[in-house]
């Protein structure tokens, strides 16, 4: 395979998988693909649920990805065929507006988010018809960003098929914006790392404006992903958006308490920036201003001087209209604490990564405790798995991604990886037949992978 265009270089692609994709494409459409595209999933090492607060996060791409084979057609349609029979085929007309049903998050809506995002970005009135075969090997709804990889892959394909060009940063921002058509108010970590990742390095991702910095990880650290085998589909539940809403309301109460115009504040990171305050000072402000008991709607409306109608339309999202209580103190405390942990993790890696595995592990453990107790985005199985990982020799272990199920990421000393894998296998997977059947794709070592790529056959 030769790389083309140069901006999106080839990522690691398993040749057997590619050959299978090509064969399926030929059987399905009767011709060869014109090009291929892939976009990876990611594992977040630290910085959970703070991208949408405007704070930096620290993920790396994984080797598992969404891979697609594509040809162009003149029939004014987008055909999508998925290698996995669980995901049914679909044909969409390019002469009609692309409609994404937020109440029914079918797999192809994620693809159509990417298509729509590029269409809107360039104001394309009539999209190029395309025939695609999709093959994904990222465990879905497990905190490894399978959905964003699908959105990014579709964005990249649509850009290429319509002969448009964007920088990686612009494509990442476009894909972040368009995934919100499915209804989740994500912060951009997943799309940014899927597109901007580079092999062999984790990245600090900063927002507003989007930028990334390589983070050198300790030579002796190996990151192991383990799936709790509990799935949580973000778009089909309101857990995720209800946390976004808690943070938005906490922002407004903190801003108002410091005499700022709360209407101008939406993200927790804006308040310290405006006040020129440190994260430690923000944690003290949370203690001073917010109370640990959940806030009711009435109380929030009274404090902010807004009507119940304004509360519903300006602060809540479509799928959180039913929420009656808001744990503002706990959510803000998590966000400012987690933002500080990301910066400490990055500093430790920059200064003395090889002497500091324990420090990094401690930060990961603190992050998990905060996600579990303050942000309440873990679940019993995930807590059990994290405990097992620590007892099996991990230096640090925590849930990764949105949570409420999905994966843990553990940092393990290189010399202990084999005994760690065996101990986790015995304690978490083998005792349960369902988990045992999923073990092969659920427990694996992960190296930082490359970002989204397009390539042509020689
Ligand atoms: P994640 O944390 O993996 O992003 P989500 O629940 O947000 O979890 O998204 C998972 C959804 O993404 C799946 O239900 C499915 O609709 C879509 N998806 C993931 N992988 C694939 C795939 N290989 N092919 C088609 N759709 C996929
Ligand atoms: P996953 O794990 O892919 O559901 C979600 C958000 C991220 C981030 C994490 C929590 C989307 C597309 N992704 O990730 O932006 O907020 O949760 O840190 O909404």
């Amino acid at each position: 395979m030769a790389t083309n265009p140069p901006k999106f270089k080839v990522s690691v692609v398993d040749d057997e998988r590619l050959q299978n994709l090509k064969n399926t494409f030929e059987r399905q459409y009767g011709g060869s693909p014109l090009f291929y595209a892939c976009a990876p999933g990611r594992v977040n090492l630290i910085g959970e649920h703070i991208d949408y607060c405007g704070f930096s996060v620290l993920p790396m791409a994984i080797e598992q990805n969404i891979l697609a084979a594509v040809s162009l057609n003149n029939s004014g349609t987008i055909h999508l065929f998925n290698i996995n029979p669980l995901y049914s085929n679909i044909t969409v007309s390019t002469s009609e507006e692309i409609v994404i049903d937020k109440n029914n998050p079918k797999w192809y809506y994620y693809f159509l988010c990417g298509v729509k995002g590029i269409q809107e970005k360039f104001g394309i009135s009539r999209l190029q018809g395309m025939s695609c075969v999709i093959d994904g090997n990222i465990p879905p709804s497990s905190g490894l960003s399978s959905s964003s990889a699908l959105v990014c892959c579709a964005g990249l394909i649509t850009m290429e098929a319509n002969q448009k060009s964007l920088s990686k940063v612009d494509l990442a921002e476009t894909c972040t914006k368009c995934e919100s058509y499915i209804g989740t108010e994500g912060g951009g970590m997943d799309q940014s790392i899927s597109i901007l990742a580079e092999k062999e390095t984790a990245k600090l991702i900063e927002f507003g404006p989007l930028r990334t910095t390589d983070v050198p990880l300790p030579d002796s650290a190996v990151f192991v992903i383990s799936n709790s085998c509990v799935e949580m589909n973000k778009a089909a539940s309101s857990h995720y958006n209800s946390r976004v809403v808690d943070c938005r309301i906490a922002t407004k109460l903190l801003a108002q308490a410091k005499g700022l115009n709360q209407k101008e504040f939406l993200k927790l990171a804006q308040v310290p920036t405006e006040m020129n305050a440190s994260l430690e000072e923000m944690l003290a402000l949370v203690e001073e201003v917010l109370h640990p008991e959940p806030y009711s709607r009435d109380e929030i409306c009274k404090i902010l001087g807004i009507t119940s109608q304004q509360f519903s339309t300006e602060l809540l999202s479509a799928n959180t209209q039913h929420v009656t209580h808001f744990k503002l103190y706990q959510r803000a405390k998590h966000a400012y604490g987690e933002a500080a942990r990301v910066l400490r993790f990055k500093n430790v890696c920059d200064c003395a990564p090889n002497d500091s595995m324990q420090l990094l592990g401690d930060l990961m453990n603190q992050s998990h405790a905060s996600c579990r107790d303050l942000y309440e985005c873990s679940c019993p199985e995930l807590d059990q798995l994290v405990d097992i990982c620590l007892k099996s020799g991990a230096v640090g272990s925590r849930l990764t991604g949105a949570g409420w199920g999905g994966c843990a990421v553990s940092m393990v000393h290189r010399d202990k990886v084999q005994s760690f894998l065996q101990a986790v296998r015995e304690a978490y997977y083998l005792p349960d037949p369902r988990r045992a059947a999923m073990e092969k794709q659920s427990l694996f070592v992960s190296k930082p992978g490359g970002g989204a790529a397009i390539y042509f056959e020689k």
Side-chain angles (χ1 to χ4, degrees), residues 240-252:
Y240 185 85
N241 279 359
S242 79
R243 296 300 184 272
V244 179
V245 164
D246 287 341
C247 289
R248 189 182 297 147
I249 300 172
T251 303
K252 290 184 175 290

Side-chain angles (χ1 to χ4, degrees), residues 178-249:
C178 69
E179 191 163 340
S180 65
Y181 296 137
I182 204 98
T184 47
E185 300 191 63
M189 160 168 66
D190 306 347
Q191 301 84 355
S192 304
I193 193 69
S194 186
I195 289 168
L196 298 164
E198 285 170 288
K199 261 180 145 183
E200 281 160 31
T201 182
K203 299 262 185 191
L204 179 80
I205 299 188
E206 296 170 89
F207 302 98
L210 174 60
R211 57 213 186 274
T212 66
T213 314
D214 289 357
V215 178
L217 297 169
D219 293 335
S220 41
V222 171
F223 289 91
V224 181
I225 294 173
S226 50
N227 194 338
S228 67
C229 304
V230 176
E231 280 196 11
M232 204 293 284
N233 186 305
K234 272 195 317 294
S237 79
S238 59
H239 293 318
Y240 185 85
N241 279 359
S242 79
R243 296 300 184 272
V244 179
V245 164
D246 287 341
C247 289
R248 189 182 297 147
I249 300 172

